Every structure is written in structure tokens, then in C-alpha cells.
Amino acid sequence: MKKFLSVFLVLLLTVAIFAGCSDKNEEGKDTSAADDTAKVTDNTAGDSGAYKLGMGVQVNTEKSKDGTAQVEATIAAVITDESGKIVDCYIDTVQNKMSVADGVAEKGQTYRTKQEMGSDYNMKDISGIGKEWNEQADFFAGYVKGMTGDEVSAIKTETNDAGAQVAADEDLYAGCTIGVTEMIQAVEKACKDDQAYDFQSTSNPKLQFAAVTDDASSKDASDEADGLAAMYTTFTAVVEDDGKVLACCVDVIEPKIAFGADGAIGEVKFSGSKREVKEGYGMKDISGIGKEWYEQAAAFADYVVGKTLDEASGIETQQNDSGKMVAKDADLYAGCTVGIDKWVAALEKALEK
């Protein structure tokens, strides 16, 4: 009987020791909860494969000056996982300039983003780290992967000798010495985009982006009326995997810069991108389907999702009574009656990359 009790006590002690070792580290602290947290932190893609595609735009027209209208818009497109962390990020900037000297709007230009310019932007030779703008923007995009929107907004900056707000963090500054304030703001907006597109993926979704600028609405000034510099840009972000579209977001900015017959810059009107202003855009009451612009853009995104790249790039349009190029497909037109030719052009441009 004593021998049986001894063996039983030894077994109980052994189980207790192993149980204690499984949940405690060398300092005797409970690590079971910490291990669970570490697993979630390391799995940035999320166990469910649930993602969001968001976009954010930060617009600046303050560099306009007499004789030249200028619009700079920094755009960020992000894929975030179910915990709100950035899985992928793309940053670009349009730097649209139009001569309005003597009251004449210089229309018909070709506008390229800084990413599209690449080495033509000519920053490498004057950069202290020998990097072009697009290389530094890509470095910033890589740096914020794994962060949440709040963590990106908390990136500290400091003023350099040229007055720009550059990264205070040495690791970030080592690969990105340009001003980062508008990048931070655009990424934060993208992470907190309340119209972000939800999608599922079990592999490695590819984020692509393009911008298309049109200045056809610009007008020369006269003695009776101001001119208008209208450099309107359409942004399209798309996620594709295995030859199909998983998510899509479309946005448009329409900053209106007035100028006089002498080329002097006048009033600038811009209250936000079309997705940002929502009902403030005022389309619902005049829409034949009773939908705001952002709602119709969402319908376009829904229509594109699930299509092959060829199908998404082959959306047909037709001219309506107002001269707008609208969707030819009845299913798409049922939810989106606005002109979509620029949307299609930007989408096709993004999918070509």
C-alpha cells in the first residue's frame, strides 16, 4: 500500500512540474497569454484571410503662383488585415502644373505621376542618399508595413535645413530623406478609409495603382470672367490574384483654380475628394437612380470584382444625351450612370503594371 502511494505521489508531482513549466518562463512569469499574443502578432495576414483595400488622398494647391496653377496630390493605397495592420502599401504623387500666363490655360498636356517619372524626376543627383523620389516613396511604403493607421500617424518628424518635415527616425531617414508629412497623412487616411473594400484571399494579393489626369474642362480668362485651371485626376487602386480582380477603389479630385486675364491666381475651390465629401457632392437629387457619386463608384467596384483582368480591362462605354461616356452594360448602368471613361482608363492602366 505504501509503495502504491509513493508511486502515485511521484506521478502527481511530475504532472505539476510539467504543467508549471508549460506556462512559465525562467523568471517564473506566466507566458501562456503572451504566447497567444505573439502568434496573432506574427500572423499579419490573419487566419481568416480577410483584408481591406483602402485609399487616402492628401491635396495641396498652395504652390500655385501667378502664371502657374499647380496641384499636388499624394495618394496612398493600402491593404490591411483583420487587425488593421498594413500588409501592402503603394504611395504616389501627382504634381500637375499648368501655365496660365496672360490668362491662357495651357491645356492638352500629358501628366505623369512621380512614380511614372522614375529617374526623369531628377532627384537622385541632388539626394543626400543618392535615391530617386520613387525609390524613397517605396522605402517609406515598406517601412509602414506591419503598422496600424494610428502607428503611422505617430511617426515623428523634424524640420530639415530646407524647411521640410522629414523623418526623425534614423532607420526611416536612412532610406527616405524627403518630406514625409503628406505621405503619413495619406496612409493614415487609407488605413481609416470607411469605404474600404472588403475581400478574402488565402495567398498573396497584388496591389496595383494608377492615376489619370484630364484638363479638358479648363477655360481661358477674359476681361469679363476669370479663367479656370481644371486638372482633374482619377485614382484607381486594384487588388488582383490568380488573374482575377479581388478588390477595387476609385476616387477623383477636382480642384478648381481661378485665374485672371493677367495670369494672377484667384480663388481655389476644393473641399475633398469625391469619396471623401460623400453626400456633400450633391449628386443624389439629380441622379436618375437616386445615388450619390461615391455610391456609384462602389457599384463600379462591385461590378469589376471577380472579373478576369481582360474582362475588367474591356468595359465598354457609350455616349449619353449629355455627352458623357457611360456604361454600356445594363447591369453596371443600373447602379452607375455617371461617366466612367476615366475610371476605365485608370483601371486598365493599373492592370497593365
Side-chain angles (χ1 to χ4, degrees):
M1 181 69 177
K2 290 181 180 178
K3 184 175 180 181
F4 173 78
L5 287 174
S6 297
V7 172
F8 181 73
L9 290 172
V10 169
L11 288 172
L12 284 177
L13 181 60
T14 301
V15 170
I17 290 173
F18 275 105
C21 290
S22 65
D23 288 337
K24 295 184 181 295
N25 60 16
E26 293 178 355
E27 298 175 352
K29 296 179 180 178
D30 190 342
T31 61
S32 58
D35 286 344
D36 288 341
T37 302
K39 290 175 184 177
V40 174
T41 301
D42 290 340
N43 186 12
T44 56
D47 293 333
S48 69
Y51 297 92
K52 290 179 181 289
L53 169 65
M55 285 206 304
V57 186
Q58 194 66 26
V59 176
N60 182 358
T61 60
E62 295 177 358
K63 292 184 179 179
S64 295
K65 58 184 180 180
D66 291 350
T68 303
Q70 184 166 330
V71 176
E72 288 197 6
T74 299
I75 174 77
V78 300
I79 296 175
T80 53
D81 66 13
E82 57 190 349
S83 63
K85 293 187 176 181
I86 298 171
V87 175
D88 201 1
C89 176
Y90 186 90
I91 295 173
D92 204 350
T93 294
V94 296
Q95 191 178 54
N96 299 331
K97 298 179 183 180
M98 175 183 289
S99 171
V100 294
D102 300 322
V104 178
E106 188 183 23
K107 296 191 295 183
Q109 300 182 71
T110 298
Y111 300 90
R112 292 191 295 167
T113 70
K114 290 185 179 181
Q115 285 279 5
E116 289 174 327
M117 289 182 188
S119 60
D120 290 342
Y121 191 67
N122 293 322
M123 176 173 280
K124 186 173 183 178
D125 292 340
I126 61 173
S127 165
I129 56 174
K131 298 290 185 182
E132 266 299 343
W133 187 95
N134 63 304
E135 295 174 307
Q136 298 193 45
D138 290 345
F139 187 92
F140 182 92
Y143 179 86
V144 300
K145 287 183 182 180
M147 291 184 176
T148 63
D150 287 337
E151 289 171 333
V152 173
S153 66
I155 293 175
K156 294 181 179 180
T157 63
E158 59 187 13
T159 307
N160 67 5
D161 294 339
Q165 293 297 308
V166 299
D169 181 89
E170 292 183 358
D171 292 334
L172 176 53
Y173 189 75
C176 180
T177 60
I178 55 179
V180 296
T181 300
E182 290 174 338
M183 292 185 188
I184 292 171
Q185 294 168 338
V187 173
E188 181 186 9
K189 278 186 177 183
C191 289
K192 298 180 179 181
D193 182 4
D194 61 2
Q195 299 173 61
Y197 201 99
D198 296 292
F199 67 97
Q200 296 278 332
S201 177
T202 56
S203 57
N204 187 27
K206 183 180 179 182
L207 174 60
Q208 294 167 250
F209 172 84
V212 173
T213 298
D214 179 75
D215 62 12
S217 297
S218 299
K219 299 177 182 179
D220 296 341
S222 67
D223 293 336
E224 292 76 28
D226 283 344
L228 176 67
M231 295 170 283
Y232 300 160
T233 302
T234 299
F235 305 104
T236 297
V238 62
V239 178
E240 64 99 351
D241 187 24
D242 195 26
K244 288 190 175 182
V245 177
L246 299 183
C248 178
C249 284
V250 177
D251 205 353
V252 173
I253 58 168
E254 293 184 344
K256 296 174 171 61
I257 304 175
F259 59 91
D262 59 353
I265 297 297
E267 184 181 13
V268 177
K269 293 183 179 179
F270 181 74
S271 57
S273 75
K274 290 187 178 182
R275 287 174 82 241
E276 286 179 316
V277 299
K278 294 184 178 178
E279 277 74 19
Y281 190 67
M283 175 172 281
K284 186 174 183 177
D285 292 340
I286 60 173
S287 165
I289 57 174
K291 298 290 185 182
E292 265 298 343
W293 189 97
Y294 75 97
E295 295 174 308
Q296 299 196 41
F300 178 86
D302 288 338
Y303 177 83
V304 168
V305 169
K307 294 194 174 338
T308 66
L309 305 191
D310 287 341
E311 290 170 339
S313 297
I315 297 175
E316 295 183 357
T317 60
Q318 60 185 1
Q319 193 173 51
N320 67 6
D321 294 338
S322 301
K324 301 289 186 182
M325 300 305 296
V326 299
K328 191 173 183 179
D329 181 90
D331 291 334
L332 175 54
Y333 189 75
C336 180
T337 60
V338 297
I340 62 169
D341 50 323
K342 301 299 185 300
W343 304 6
V344 173
L347 176 63
E348 291 177 345
K349 191 175 179 181
L351 293 174
E352 287 173 357
K353 295 183 178 181

